[in-house]
Every structure is written in structure tokens, then in C-alpha cells.
């Protein structure tokens, strides 16, 4: 099966009816999302009932569920919630959460109506929609996909490096997706059997790794911070963070992973010069001579927080995120990243471009990519740029 | 004008041709986005040329621009970039950034082809697409919109509170959009003149404020953190942050605003008990007796960081973001927020629900909403929950 079309329409009856008519005509499987909520602009249920020529009936069991949830969370009953429990007669109700999804059939075409809240869509999709979709897969085509998340090279460089990566494999599709600050590459394999699909995917995956493996920081649903967290736990190492221009983002990414207390003890957001001196003992002299955005300051931040937290690794960022604060010598986007570990200290100057939020994100991502590189190869901290 | 349909199709020629044919038939104005990149899967330009029956020609000027940009950023030339400079003959090129957008006309219908990268789409839309759209607006209808960002009440409560808010104004549309952890409400007014639209919008806005003003934390493109940052600068106050379960997110949000160094000096991510003791002087006795997730710990964190940074306000979070670490007494989602200021200290226990990332986000947002409330009404820190 392939996704052949995605249509978005407003909360207007005629548009929804049109979209439903087109969808059931051209597809074997339809998923509708949104418009099931309690407010007056949510009209999908009502329009679905009209499209399928079914009356709306009150589902007492679901009404009880709603009332139970409200009580559990200590929220007041509101008349608008009653609307949620009216569903087209005969519809199969699905995993009722805050809004109730339901399933109807148009001839042989299943039409799923799901809430619009992304977390709920994801949950219902996994538990209820995908199993039905797999059952309906009459072609018996096996699809395997791997998503490579690359950090560093430009999209065009990646495209060039992967030219002909699936040569001789007609049922492989390679897709390229910029996903700031990463670039993602998907490899999709279609085959008659699972064994065949797995074999082809493994072959193409090995080729992608051979050509661009050094830039791959995560795969599939995983993220760079998950890769880093997993490696820190696996190796029993700890990290401490001293941040200036990233303002807490590096710490936040490192602690976003369940179990992060195993490797993360503390982070310091030392935004002002005073905070850098008081919290990390950076000498006033260094800040005066070299500035807060400098290699010596970054180095002392990484060493200082490593020592303070008695961590294996200290990582630090200091830079000018803009829009103001830049100078000819140190324009907006000038960033120093430093890492201190048992093997030594490494500092590097970057010149990033973009808006304030982009510079912040790319700086934090670069810092995490340093951790990732170090955790996969300790010589990262004793290479030519280290001291 | 209204947006009547949004279609998403894959990078497949027949699908793109179909979508273009449908779009020009049913619309007065068409915007296409994506598929203009340098990799082989980007085929929109080629398909556009076929649809409009135009040859692809090399634009030497744009080719020079690409080469100049690469040199400026110190990136290597890659053959894939040449593809970017081939555009349908006679197309008007638009604000070339990394990929070149272009404009063609189908009879009287402008069809804009834009890159897929959101930041580039936004820029081109503002500079080039919207002005054309306004010129084409032959109905001479003036549209005004205000977006209210509410934090606190459930969507259904908001719907009930705003029932009939635009009564007697037939050309006003009210939309409700859950936008975790906020709920957004849009008010759209259509009128014959700007004065009329402004008058009606002001009237409905005043009514929304009267009913739900206490929950409005930002409007239009602004955010809660911008509201807080603006108020801190306006009032000349400073804030320091001590975070446990939010892992740096509160600091990151506060420093995401340009000029944040005026009000933010430092933040401490004190994740472990040792960090809480060493950085903020929380007595071991308090951690043993009450636990790290407790009102006394939260209170001492807020007071400690306020004093350490000599800030006007100290704000702290400590909680169990999960998925593990919960107990019967303190289940996952148990969070304490504390704020210390000249008027006193306030602590409150919350029980949030959701995944780890949701609990983190809602905790940070709640902490910011405390700052917002305090900055708009100082009695927030001397109310019944304060001490």
C-alpha cells in the first residue's frame, strides 16, 4: 500500500463532504483526523453521520468514561462534553481518550475518524489503525524502511555521496528530507517476502554506512540525544554541562531521555560574566582579556563544570546567538564549544548562520554530536584540535 | 479569499500533475511548496515545466548566486546544485535562497512554486506571495484576525465560556485549537472596510478578555516566554532559575528571547541530590526527611537560587517526569513549583499527566505562567498559598 493523497480542509461541511467523497472513491483505506472535539467548530462527527446517512446516537458507556476521566482529574463537567458521546449509529468506537475515534465502512473501504491531537492520533494509529491496515494489505508486499539521521553535511552533498547507492535494486526508494539541524535519508524497500526485504535493506544500509556513516547520529525513531544517553549509560560515564548561549538547551536535551539521572548530575546556565566567575571560577582576567565568547573561556567552563560535578566529561558552549551583541571581530553566530575529559580538552570555534533560535539549536546539536563522537571513539579528545 | 483546499502528494510525477490540474481548476490562486531541492527525489520543477508545457532553461544569474553563496559559507561546489538553476522558461524567479522559487500563470491563476523548508517558505510568503494575493483580492474584503493563547482551562471549558461571544456579528468566525500545553482561540473578522473590521474585532476582543482574560498569556505571533521577557524588561526585574525535573527548559525558554541578558543571569540544573546540596545549599536533612520532590525542597531551591544570583525573583521546579521513579505517595507527574520574591515565597504541588516530555513542558509552562501572573499582579506572591 502507498499513501496516495493527503487533503486538508477547513471545518466546513461542504469541504468535508467533498473530501470524504473523493477519498473513498480513490482509496482502499481512509484515515480522517480532527474535528471531533467539544467546541462548536468541531463538526466532523456530524458530517460523517450525514455522509454515511446514519443518525447520531448517544453512547452512554462513553459518556460514563468521559465523566469518570473528569472526576479522576478533578475537572468540572461541562455540557460541551456531552457532544463527544454522540456518534454515528453502528460505528465502532476506538480507544476513547479525550475525544472518541470511530470506524465506519464505505462499501469495502474502512474509514477511520481520529481526534486531531497528535499524541492521541499516534496512540490510536499504533493500537488500532495499523493492525487493520496490515490485515487489508492484500498485495502481500512487505515494506521495510530505515531512516538515517545525519548531522554535518549539506543536503546536496548527501545526495551526491549517495548517488547510485541502491543501484541494481529497482524496488528501493531513497528519500532526502532536510530536518533542521539534521538531514534525514530514508531507504524504503518493497519485496515479496520479509526475508527478501530484510536482505536488500541490510545491503543498502551497509552501503549508506560505508559512504556516510561518520555523519549518522541516529536511526529511525531515535534521536541524537537518545544515541548519546544510551552510550553514556552503556559505558557508565557521566557528563556535566556549562552553557551560555544555549541557555539550558544542552542540559534539557540530555535530561529528556528516561534514565538520564544515571549520567547527568548538574548543568550550569552561566549567562552573565558574574555567573561564569561565581559558579565556575572563571578568572575576571580571562573574561577581560579574551571575552566571554572565546576559546579560553569555553575551555575553563568545560573544565570547571567537570571538576565541580566530579563528572567524567564536561561540555560547554559560549557564543553570540543574536540578533544583537555581534561585532566585526565576533559577529552573530560566533560560537565556541569545549569538551573536557580524562584524555584532555578540546575547543573549537564555529561560525553558524541563522536566527537566534537556529543558532541555539545548531550549537546544542553540535555539542551533543561531540559527545556522540567521543563516546564512539575516545581519540576524539586527543586529536589534533585537543590540548 | 479563503483557503479552500490543501493537498499533499508524494514526489511522484503523476500525483503532482493531478494535484496541479485540480488546483488550477478550483482555485484563483495556487501555492505549491517543496520538491525544488538538489537531490534526485526533488522533481517539482521538472513536473511544473511539463504541466505548463515549457522547456527547462539554465538561469546563469541564479547559478552565479548559488556559487557565490557556497563560497561565502566555505562549502564545496557539488554538481547537484546545477539542477537548482534550471527553471521553466519565462518563469519569474523569486527571492532565491537555497532553492529558487518561481511564479507561473495558468490562464489568470498565479501558481507559486516555493521551496519546502519552513523558514524559506515563510520569508518568501511574506515578501512576495502575500503582496500578490492582496492585489488579487478583487472582493475587497478586509480580514482581521486575533489569536488568543490561553493556558489553564480545558478546550471544552473555553468553548463554553465563549459561547455566543460574537453574537450579533455574522461575519465573525471563532476557532478553537488545542496547542499543547496551551489552547488557542482565533477570532476572524471579515468586513467591507478596515475601520469596520477593526471596530468589530475590538468589540469581540474585549468580550473575550472579559470572559477569559485571566488565562490569556500571549496573543498572535507572541508566546508566553515573550510576554514574560517583555514584562521583566519593562519592570527592570531579574529572575534566576533552579530546575530539577525540567532539566534546563525553564532557563532555555527565558533565554530564547532577544535581550534576555537584561533579566537572566544564571540558571542551575540541579538534577541529583548532591547537586541540590552543593549548588544551592539544600540541607541533607531536608532531602532525607521530605525528599527531593517536596514543598520544602522546592521552596529552598527558589530561595537559594534567588539569593545566589542576587535576583529579584527565584523560580524552581522539582518533580517526577517519569516514566520511572514514581511511587504510590508521589506518582509520576507529581511536581512542585516554587517562586521566591521580595513579597514572600509561594509553593504549590501539581499532579500532571502525560509522557515525560509532556510533563516537562507543562511544568516549565506553569512556571512561566507564575512569572507572568506575578509580573502583572504582585499580590500573586502574597496570596493565600504564599508564606
Amino acid at each position: 500500500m502507498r499513501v496516495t493523497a493527503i487533503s486538508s480542509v477547513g471545518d466546513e461541511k461542504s469541504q468535508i463532504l467533498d473530501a470524504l467523497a473523493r477519498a473513498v472513491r480513490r482509496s482502499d483505506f481512509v484515515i480522517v483526523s480532527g474535528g471531533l472535539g467539544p467546541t462548536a467548530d468541531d463538526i466532523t462527527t456530524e458530517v460523517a453521520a450525514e455522509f454515511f446517512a446514519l443518525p447520531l446516537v448517544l453512547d452512554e458507556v462513553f459518556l460514563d468514561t468521559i465523566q469518570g476521566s473528569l472526576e479522576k482529574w478533578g475537572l468540572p463537567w461541562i455540557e460541551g462534553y456531552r457532544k463527544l458521546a454522540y456518534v454515528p449509529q453502528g460505528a465502532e468506537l476506538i480507544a476513547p481518550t479525550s475525544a472518541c475515534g470511530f470506524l465506519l465502512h464505505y462499501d469495502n473501504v474502512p474509514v477511520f475518524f481520529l481526534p486531531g491531537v497528535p499524541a492521541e492520533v499516534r496512540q490510536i494509529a499504533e493500537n488500532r489503525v495499523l493492525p487493520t491496515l496490515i490485515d487489508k494489505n492484500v498485495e502481500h508486499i512487505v515494506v521495510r524502511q530505515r531512516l538515517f539521521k545525519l548531522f554535518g553535511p549539506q543536503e546536496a552533498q548527501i545526495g551526491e555521496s549517495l548517488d547510485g547507492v541502491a543501484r541494481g535494486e529497482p524496488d528501493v526508494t531513497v528519500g532526502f528530507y532536510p530536518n533542521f539541524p539534521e538531514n534525514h535519508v530514508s531507504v524504503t524497500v518493497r519485496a515479496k517476502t520479509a526475508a527478501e526485504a530484510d536482505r536488500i535493506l541490510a545491503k543498502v544500509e551497509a552501503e549508506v554506512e560505508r559512504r556516510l556513516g561518520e555523519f549518522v547520529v541516529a536511526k529511525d525513531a531515535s534521536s541524537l540525544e537518545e544515541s548519546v544517553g544510551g552510550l553514556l549509560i552503556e559505558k557508565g560515564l557521566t557528563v556535566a554541562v556549562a552553557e551560555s548561549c544555549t541557555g539550558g538547551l544542552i542540559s534539557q536535551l540530555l535530561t529528556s531521555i528516561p534514565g538520564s539521572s544515571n549520567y547527568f548530575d548538574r548543568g550550569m546556565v552561566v549567562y552573565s560574566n558574574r555567573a561564569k566567575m561565581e559558579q565556575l571560577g572563571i578568572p575576571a582576567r580571562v573574561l577581560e582579556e579574551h571575552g566571554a565568547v572565546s576559546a579560553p573561556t569555553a575551555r575553563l567552563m568545560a573544565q570547571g563544570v567537570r571538576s565541580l560535578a566530579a563528572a567524567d566529561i564536561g561540555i560547554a558552549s559560549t557564543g553570540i546567538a543574536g540578533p544583537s551583541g555581534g561585532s566585526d571581530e565576533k559577529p552573530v553566530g560566533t560560537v565556541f564549544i569545549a569538551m573536557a575529559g580524562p584524555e584532555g580538552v578540546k575547543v573549537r570555534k564555529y561560525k553558524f548562520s541563522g536566527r537566534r533560535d537556529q543558532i541555539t539549536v545548531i550549537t546544542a546539536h553540535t555539542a551533543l554530536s561531540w559527545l556522540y563522537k567521543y563516546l564512539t571513539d575516545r581519540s576524539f579528545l586527543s586529536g589534533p584540535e585537543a590540548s
Side-chain angles (χ1 to χ4, degrees), chain A residues 208-226:
Chain A
V208 172
E209 290 282 359
R210 195 182 67 75
R211 299 187 187 188
L212 288 174
E214 61 180 309
F215 303 112
V216 175
V217 293
K219 286 183 189 176
D220 297 331
S222 189
S223 62
L224 173 56
E225 51 269 29
E226 272 181 279

Side-chain angles (χ1 to χ4, degrees), chain A residues 42-322:
Chain A
D42 292 314
I43 58 167
T44 303
T45 307
E46 199 182 312
V47 177
E50 176 169 332
F51 182 76
F52 285 87
L54 296 168
L56 282 174
V57 292
L58 180 69
D59 189 283
E60 300 279 359
V61 176
F62 183 49
L63 189 63
D64 283 352
T65 309
I66 296 171
Q67 284 166 336
S69 301
L70 290 172
E71 269 166 39
K72 187 178 154 203
W73 296 114
L75 296 170
W77 167 258
I78 281 163
E79 204 47 35
Y81 287 124
R82 182 177 301 276
K83 181 185 154 207
L84 298 177
Y86 278 90
V87 288
Q89 193 164 43
E92 179 199 332
L93 304 198
I94 303 161
T97 47
S98 69
C100 187
F102 55 90
L103 169 62
L104 288 165
H105 287 83
Y106 190 91
D107 295 333
N108 208 23
V109 178
V111 185
F112 278 94
F113 292 86
L114 312 185
V117 177
E120 296 180 6
V121 172
R122 194 174 305 121
Q123 193 201 326
I124 298 180
E126 282 170 11
N127 298 340
R128 186 64 189 81
V129 181
L130 294 182
T132 308
L133 189 57
I134 290 163
D135 278 352
K136 278 273 295 184
N137 184 357
V138 288
E139 302 166 66
H140 296 297
I141 292 289
V142 178
V143 178
R144 289 281 185 279
Q145 189 171 60
R146 177 110 318 133
L147 190 65
F148 298 87
K149 301 183 175 176
L150 292 93
F151 182 60
Q154 305 290 305
E155 191 189 10
Q157 287 174 271
I158 295 171
E160 189 173 76
S161 298
L162 293 186
D163 187 41
V165 74
R167 192 156 287 153
E169 297 294 351
D171 297 324
V172 173
T173 317
V174 181
F176 300 87
Y177 310 96
N179 196 304
F180 183 82
E182 299 178 343
N183 277 292
H184 293 181
V185 174
S186 72
V187 173
T188 309
V189 177
R190 285 158 207 280
K192 290 243 166 63
T193 66
E196 180 71 356
D198 289 338
R199 186 190 63 75
I200 299 172
L201 182 60
K203 187 184 145 197
V204 179
E205 180 167 5
E207 189 57 27
V208 172
E209 290 282 359
R210 195 182 67 75
R211 299 187 187 188
L212 288 174
E214 61 180 309
F215 303 112
V216 175
V217 293
K219 286 183 189 176
D220 297 331
S222 189
S223 62
L224 173 56
E225 51 269 29
E226 272 181 279
S227 299
V228 169
L231 284 166
L232 284 165
I233 290 175
E234 185 189 314
K235 296 180 188 293
L237 295 175
T238 59
V239 61
V241 181
E243 306 185 61
S244 187
C245 65
T246 44
L249 183 58
I250 301 174
S251 294
Q252 207 271 313
L253 290 168
L254 284 169
T255 58
S256 69
I257 308 304
S260 55
S261 54
N262 287 298
Y263 56 78
F264 185 91
D265 157 73
R266 75 193 71 179
M268 304 279 142
V269 186
V270 285
Y271 217 56
S272 68
N273 278 356
R274 195 162 70 84
K276 289 179 184 77
M277 293 188 280
E278 290 179 5
Q279 300 301 142
L280 296 173
I282 314 280
R285 177 184 51 75
V286 171
L287 294 169
E288 278 157 26
E289 262 177 46
H290 303 278
V293 178
S294 68
T297 300
R299 171 191 305 269
L300 289 171
M301 285 171 69
Q303 288 174 317
V305 80
R306 175 173 183 254
S307 147
L308 195 66
D312 296 304
I313 311 161
I315 190 139
S317 72
T318 180
I320 300 157

